[in-house]
Amino acid sequence: KIIHELEIATIKNTVSKNSSKEKYLDVACGFGRITSAVSPFFKENYAIDASQIMIEKSRKSCNAKFIQMDAEKLEFSSNKFDLITSIRFIMSLDSKMRIEMLKEINRVLKPEGVFICSIHLNKWSPRGILSQLRNRFQNLGQPCMSYAEIKNELEIAGFYILDFHGVKIIPFYGREPLLKKETLLKIEKFLERIFPLKYFADGYIFACKKKGLK
């Protein structure tokens, strides 16, 4: 729930500063967690997922057009959306498919639109380092990425990073964190301003724009 609060707060802050409020697309919407939180800010909302089961369940979450669709083959016209989100998904794809998806998102995003995405396991966070060791010695195959890796793939797809935020800079785990949610949120926001702490956060949220529009 705390991570969800961090994600939603970051997205809303970015929307308020950088995006018009006409058309919104949530890629890999799952159960509509992000779609339902962001859609009230936009006039026209779309959400896609490859799973028809997810689509059927998500339709109850908010007033959006939920469509079964592959993320790397978006069936939308170019330059259509003011905001596109894809939260806790892109790391699940291999590099080739991820770049294909990012290029498609770039195509359907308006020239001045904003794309917000996240990776949920930073390779150089405490948990990410532990995950890499487990992958090496236990052959688990847990995906993780670094800031440099996702930045490179975003650039290949035609994006630059407008801003990014660390999620779980404090390595709090489990269902019962030691501090209250409100306190953790304040501490996280404070630590973000101390270089280079957010580069070692457990995950990242990126706000991106098309190249050439800085």
Side-chain angles (χ1 to χ4, degrees):
K1 188 174 181 180
I2 293 169
I3 296 172
H4 171 74
E5 294 278 350
L6 286 167
E7 290 170 340
I8 296 302
T10 300
I11 292 170
K12 287 182 177 180
N13 182 59
T14 303
V15 169
S16 66
K17 291 180 178 179
N18 299 292
S19 181
S20 67
K21 309 298 189 297
E22 292 295 325
K23 295 180 181 179
Y24 163 57
L25 170 65
D26 189 16
V27 174
C29 63
F31 292 109
R33 178 178 66 91
I34 301 297
T35 317
S36 60
V38 179
S39 60
F41 295 93
F42 289 83
K43 294 179 181 178
E44 195 172 338
N45 300 284
Y46 297 80
I48 69 160
D49 200 282
S51 169
Q52 185 60 37
I53 294 174
M54 292 289 192
I55 291 297
E56 292 299 330
K57 291 184 177 181
S58 298
R59 283 181 176 146
K60 303 174 183 179
S61 66
C62 63
N63 183 23
K65 298 177 183 177
F66 289 90
I67 308 168
Q68 184 181 16
M69 189 183 299
D70 290 332
E72 65 272 21
K73 296 179 181 178
L74 298 177
E75 299 169 19
F76 298 110
S77 59
S78 299
N79 304 317
K80 182 179 179 69
F81 296 101
D82 300 282
L83 174 71
I84 301 176
T85 57
S86 185
I87 303 299
R88 300 194 209 177
F89 174 67
I90 63 175
M91 207 173 73
S92 304
L93 304 173
D94 63 37
S95 180
K96 181 180 178 181
M97 289 183 67
R98 186 163 48 243
I99 291 172
E100 288 178 2
M101 184 197 83
L102 292 172
K103 286 181 176 179
E104 274 292 273
I105 289 173
N106 187 292
R107 179 183 65 81
V108 302
L109 186 69
K110 287 182 179 179
E112 296 294 337
V114 178
F115 169 49
I116 299 177
C117 63
S118 72
I119 60 173
H120 52 277
L121 184 52
N122 168 27
K123 185 179 285 186
W124 303 119
S125 68
R127 191 166 67 97
I129 292 171
L130 180 61
S131 179
Q132 289 184 82
L133 290 172
R134 286 176 174 172
N135 287 347
R136 184 177 182 85
F137 295 108
Q138 297 181 15
N139 198 29
L140 294 180
Q142 169 67 46
C144 53
M145 294 184 73
S146 68
Y147 172 86
E149 287 170 340
I150 188 62
K151 179 176 182 289
N152 179 62
E153 292 188 2
L154 285 164
E155 288 178 349
I156 290 172
F159 289 105
Y160 73 94
I161 296 172
L162 180 70
D163 193 12
F164 81 99
H165 300 271
V167 178
K168 285 177 68 176
I169 299 173
I170 307 168
F172 53 88
Y173 301 108
R175 295 181 180 273
E176 299 296 333
L178 297 176
L179 301 173
K180 292 182 179 180
K181 178 186 70 175
E182 293 77 13
T183 304
L184 278 171
L185 288 170
K186 289 179 181 178
I187 294 173
E188 290 268 300
K189 291 301 178 185
F190 171 76
L191 293 177
E192 266 206 337
R193 299 193 292 269
I194 303 175
F195 181 84
L197 288 183
K198 70 178 178 180
Y199 286 89
F200 299 97
D202 201 57
Y204 298 126
I205 301 176
F206 298 93
C208 310
K209 282 198 168 187
K210 292 186 177 186
K211 285 183 180 179
L213 295 170
K214 294 186 180 182

